[in-house]
Amino acid sequence: MSLQVVTANRLEDGLVVFLTSDGGWSENINDARIAEDKEAANALLAEASAPELDIVIVGPYLIDVEQQGTDLVPTKYREVLRTKGPSVREDLGYQAV
Amino acid sequence: MYRYDDFDRQLVLERTEQFREQVKRRLAGDITEEQFRPLRLMNGVYLQLHAYMLRVAVPYGTLRADQLRQLGMIARVYDKGYGHFTTRQNIQYNWPKLDEIPDALLDLAKVEMHAIQTSGNCIRNTTTDQYAGAAADEIEDPRPYCELIRQWSTFHPEFTYLPRKFKIAVTGSPNDRAAVKVHDIGLRMHQNEAGETGFEVLVGGGLGRTPFVGKTIRDFIGKNDLFSYLEAILRVYNRFGRRDNKYKARIKILVHEEGIDKIRELVEEEWSQIKDGSLRVDDAEIAHYIEQFAPPAFEALSDDDADFERHKAENRRFANWVRSNVIEHKQPGYAIANVSLKPIGGIPGDATDTQMELVADLSEKYSFGDVRVTHEQNLVLPHVKKADLFAVWSELDKADLGTANLGYVTDIISCPGLDYCALATARSIPLSQRISERFGDLDRQHDIGELKIKISGCINACGHHHVGHIGILGLDKRGKEFYQITLGGDASQDASIGKIAGAGFSEAEVVDAIESLVTKYIDIRDGGERFIDTYRRVGMDPFKEVLYGDR
């Protein structure tokens, strides 16, 4: 099984975030807590779906990622775009920072 | 132009305050996302890939200068300095923060704007001909009827929870620039044998995953009876439309499954019950709305302007812009000026805050403060004196708004696609940019002539690919973007749904594939034929051959 992390959009501003090891949410995918097997992935998603997080994030789900050097990179292009921003506006989104 | 009355103003302000409370309760955890989602959608707020998206209504595509200026301000204050004009004649902002959206809506309300009817399963914002009230070929300005439809449909208690969304488009001209045949209801103004003006009513058109050209349910409905007749159609749809399956819930599926004759029978039966009721609009009331859209104070001018002709002769770039972007006006001495939002290699439909403000200023100075949004994602200054066209173009050109490509191969409709949209399966904007660059040379565009390329980034077809002369649909094939080409679509009065040419192309191959189609057309066209005319004459095979050869 591919490595997985949990992503969502932050309630307040809609920005893309990832579940971190301390149970918080980061804008940087490299801070994400990684699930290495199905059991860990299910536990990660269950944690992210806790009712009390409904006022922090919207729509948590698991994505497949690969370790590339020091970076975590999603395997699907859609998710790559979410970690960066629009490919047609490189001045916007996380890629701009 | 139509101005809100006190009732409209109160309605919009109350809705804005309601939404402010709903956002507050959501952020405080008093309501869940599941409860909040339908509420935010009713106020045009979507959650997209990177952020929230706010869709603002531009009813029937008509804007005043102060409204467009405010849209620019909102782009700067609440977004990242730009907005995106859509195929629904609306504008979308891509980066608003949820807790700031109520303030943005309040700023919109100050100029009589809102996000009502831009989402949800209601009757959506009515669209029409962008040249309404200006076109030389129109029978009557369709906007008084659009405004009456707006008033009838806004918060209509019976039609707030339809089986699915419902879109109405109106044309007042026999040359359909509003794609009325691919809407849930299309209204085409015409005159009956008695010389009365009324509408042909089409139902069941639409794009999306199951495209259809609308079918005529009634050849002629008089103006007074239009609204009760629309109500009858909506009642039949609301009752019989399929709620069991989201993908079969549009009226087009009902019309397709039951047949137009059966639907007509049901509608006529319903209509007979209500036609003499409160929805019958009398001549005096219609006249009142026609008055609201009375033509501006045109000057009596000669249709020939010596300075205009001189500028054309002296400045080739201006002459080229006039050739493609300036359309005949019904008033002598005036013209319709199209402002292209498709600079070569640019993002179709995007405009910056300062570009919006510039067009607002120009409309105030040269076009009676009137601006239009087109479903092909451009803007229009509808009433410009021919004598002022050079000044208008010079200002537009300095702001990268003077591209001379209306209706050409680089005037591409493109949805936001996977760069922004949560539903998309592939990107559409980068492809439109590469096609635009490939065909950017103006002489080549002149040679190719009218060619409508429309690109959607998923099967929902927001980019109208089904009705592109060349349509492109972006899909996901095992994690890679690939693109399916359709040929022979048409959104005009001769509407047709394009046919799939064959297997899809990779991102790397697709621009070459488009070019090979264009080259083939140039090889085999007869004199005066547009791409679509040639396609209709020769059919799919010659084009298929250049795409696939022996494959």
Side-chain angles (χ1 to χ4, degrees):
Chain A
M1 196 194 87
S2 165
L3 303 179
Q4 291 194 306
V5 302
V6 166
T7 182
N9 291 77
R10 193 159 54 203
L11 173 64
E12 199 179 283
D13 54 15
L15 295 187
V16 174
V17 286
F18 302 88
L19 181 61
T20 63
S21 30
D22 63 358
W25 295 88
S26 170
E27 296 177 6
N28 187 342
I29 190 170
N30 291 322
D31 298 337
R33 192 181 340 155
I34 302 166
E36 295 187 354
D37 57 40
K38 198 162 176 64
E39 203 181 326
N42 288 341
L44 210 56
L45 186 60
E47 182 183 330
S49 307
E52 59 271 23
L53 289 177
D54 193 55
I55 57 165
V56 181
I57 47 112
V58 179
Y61 60 97
L62 290 162
I63 59 168
D64 292 348
V65 296
E66 285 168 359
Q67 190 81 50
Q68 292 184 4
T70 55
D71 287 334
L72 283 179
V73 179
T75 56
K76 280 199 175 152
Y77 188 61
R78 177 186 196 271
E79 298 305 326
V80 173
L81 282 174
R82 287 180 77 248
T83 64
K84 291 181 171 178
S87 71
V88 293
R89 286 295 303 265
E90 290 183 352
D91 56 327
L92 301 176
Y94 297 145
Q95 63 197 349
V97 183
Chain B
M1 266 178 280
Y2 180 76
R3 297 299 303 237
Y4 272 15
D5 60 18
D6 290 344
F7 182 76
D8 292 321
R9 216 162 283 141
Q10 187 190 341
L11 188 102
V12 171
L13 278 176
E14 280 176 7
R15 171 52 87 92
T16 306
E17 283 317 301
Q18 245 176 32
F19 188 57
R20 188 183 293 282
E21 283 305 307
Q22 289 160 352
V23 169
K24 206 187 279 176
R25 285 158 61 207
R26 173 71 184 101
L27 291 171
D30 297 339
I31 49 176
T32 63
E33 182 61 19
E34 201 184 336
Q35 292 164 325
F36 179 64
R37 190 171 173 275
L39 300 175
R40 70 166 156 78
L41 287 175
M42 281 179 199
N43 291 283
V45 181
Y46 289 72
L47 185 54
Q48 293 286 32
L49 273 195
H50 311 291
Y52 289 101
M53 181 267 276
L54 174 65
R55 182 181 294 152
V56 176
V58 180
Y60 33 91
T62 292
L63 284 169
R64 296 191 311 261
D66 62 315
Q67 293 176 319
L68 182 55
R69 200 171 284 125
Q70 193 82 339
L71 292 179
M73 182 280 279
I74 284 169
R76 187 162 50 241
V77 173
Y78 299 100
D79 207 86
K80 294 181 187 283
Y82 69 109
H84 177 74
F85 290 98
T86 78
T87 51
R88 299 275 311 139
Q89 297 181 305
N90 291 326
I91 183 169
Q92 293 177 178
Y93 295 105
N94 297 302
W95 305 92
K97 298 185 174 72
L98 182 59
D99 56 352
E100 292 181 4
I101 290 174
D103 289 337
L105 290 175
L106 187 61
D107 279 332
L108 285 168
K110 287 176 189 160
V111 291
E112 304 174 359
M113 295 188 79
H114 52 75
I116 296 162
Q117 289 170 287
T118 63
S119 181
N121 293 336
C122 62
I123 300 171
R124 299 286 186 90
N125 189 27
T126 299
T127 52
T128 193
D129 184 357
Q130 64 270 19
Y131 305 150
D137 59 8
E138 87 182 358
I139 299 162
E140 238 184 69
D141 189 336
R143 290 173 303 162
Y145 306 97
C146 296
E147 174 54 26
L148 279 159
I149 292 170
R150 184 189 74 77
Q151 297 195 12
W152 159 73
S153 62
T154 298
F155 300 155
H156 193 308
E158 230 179 287
F159 306 139
T160 303
Y161 294 96
L162 291 167
R164 197 77 177 84
K165 59 188 166 183
F166 201 95
K167 299 173 184 175
I168 303 176
V170 190
T171 173
S173 162
N175 299 305
D176 179 7
R177 291 174 286 260
V180 307
K181 290 189 174 176
V182 288
H183 282 74
D184 294 284
I185 290 180
L187 298 173
R188 180 182 69 88
M189 193 186 287
H190 70 121
Q191 287 173 330
N192 65 6
E193 284 168 6
E196 298 158 337
T197 302
F199 296 90
E200 177 191 2
V201 184
L202 298 114
V203 297
L207 301 173
R209 64 185 62 214
T210 324
F212 286 109
V213 172
K215 297 168 185 73
T216 303
I217 189 166
R218 208 171 212 280
D219 285 325
F220 185 88
I221 189 85
K223 299 167 176 180
N224 313 92
D225 293 321
L226 176 63
F227 306 95
S228 56
Y229 195 76
L230 292 177
E231 177 112 338
I233 296 174
L234 264 298
R235 279 192 171 174
V236 167
Y237 169 56
N238 204 19
R239 183 166 167 204
F240 297 106
R242 289 184 57 177
R243 291 171 190 269
D244 60 314
N245 182 341
K246 186 181 171 187
Y247 302 118
K248 298 194 175 205
R250 296 289 288 269
I251 195 173
K252 62 190 174 186
I253 304 295
L254 184 68
V255 170
H256 178 68
E257 287 182 349
E258 299 295 326
I260 186 68
D261 294 333
K262 171 77 177 160
I263 299 300
R264 184 182 299 115
E265 207 174 283
L266 290 166
V267 168
E268 290 288 329
E269 193 186 313
E270 179 63 39
W271 188 52
S272 69
Q273 311 283 319
I274 60 172
K275 70 194 185 78
D276 298 318
S278 60
L279 282 172
R280 192 181 156 80
V281 180
D282 64 26
D283 289 342
E285 193 171 354
I286 290 174
H288 169 73
Y289 283 93
I290 289 175
E291 186 53 35
Q292 304 265 355
F293 292 90
F298 293 123
E299 292 171 40
L301 299 171
S302 156
D303 205 35
D304 301 313
D305 185 87
D307 279 346
F308 169 61
E309 296 301 331
R310 182 176 55 77
H311 283 303
K312 270 201 299 184
E314 285 172 2
N315 190 318
R316 180 146 176 266
R317 292 181 62 239
F318 174 62
N320 283 332
W321 182 74
V322 171
R323 172 175 171 172
S324 55
N325 292 37
V326 173
I327 310 282
E328 193 189 355
H329 199 284
K330 64 182 175 189
Q331 180 73 19
Y334 285 81
I336 301 169
N338 285 276
V339 180
S340 172
L341 297 181
K342 320 283 177 68
I344 301 306
I347 297 178
D350 274 14
T352 66
D353 53 342
T354 51
Q355 285 179 324
M356 289 187 241
E357 286 162 343
L358 173 72
V359 175
D361 291 347
L362 291 175
S363 80
E364 217 151 52
K365 199 164 167 193
Y366 297 112
S367 182
F368 299 94
D370 192 341
V371 186
R372 308 295 171 78
V373 182
T374 85
H375 88 269
E376 294 184 314
Q377 301 180 285
N378 294 309
L379 298 176
V380 179
L381 296 170
H383 310 298
V384 181
K385 276 187 213 169
K386 284 185 174 175
D388 292 332
L389 282 170
F390 185 73
V392 168
W393 171 77
S394 303
E395 291 292 319
L396 289 172
D397 190 41
K398 277 187 261 176
D400 206 17
L401 291 169
T403 310
N405 62 349
L406 199 86
Y408 294 156
V409 55
T410 60
D411 184 9
I412 298 167
I413 289 185
S414 169
C415 72
L418 192 55
D419 279 298
Y420 292 96
C421 180
L423 299 174
T425 41
R427 290 175 299 162
S428 8
I429 296 169
L431 182 52
S432 74
Q433 291 175 305
R434 283 164 53 216
I435 295 171
S436 172
E437 276 158 5
R438 177 73 63 95
F439 293 101
D441 177 70
L442 193 54
D443 290 335
R444 191 174 184 198
Q445 293 189 63
H446 285 160
D447 181 34
I448 297 164
E450 182 187 298
L451 174 49
K452 308 228 175 204
I453 295 184
K454 304 184 200 257
I455 308 175
S456 305
C458 82
I459 199 165
N460 293 307
C462 295
H464 291 193
H465 66 278
H466 295 300
V467 287
H469 298 168
I470 298 175
I472 304 172
L473 166 63
L475 295 163
D476 174 288
K477 193 178 187 181
R478 283 177 237 107
K480 289 252 187 302
E481 295 165 299
F482 88 111
Y483 296 89
Q484 202 172 63
I485 293 176
T486 55
L487 297 176
D490 186 348
S492 77
Q493 61 279 1
D494 305 314
S496 55
I497 303 297
K499 289 197 170 61
I500 297 170
F505 293 87
S506 72
E507 194 204 350
E509 297 165 329
V510 64
V511 179
D512 289 337
I514 301 300
E515 189 167 30
S516 71
L517 292 169
V518 172
T519 305
K520 183 70 188 175
Y521 148 69
I522 287 172
D523 283 350
I524 62 174
R525 68 183 166 188
D526 283 346
E529 270 185 350
R530 302 169 301 161
F531 180 92
I532 183 73
D533 302 322
T534 302
Y535 174 83
R536 283 179 173 152
R537 178 170 56 80
V538 305
M540 178 68 89
D541 288 348
F543 292 106
K544 213 169 171 160
E545 201 189 318
V546 296
L547 287 180
Y548 303 106
D550 296 333
R551 251 164 86 182

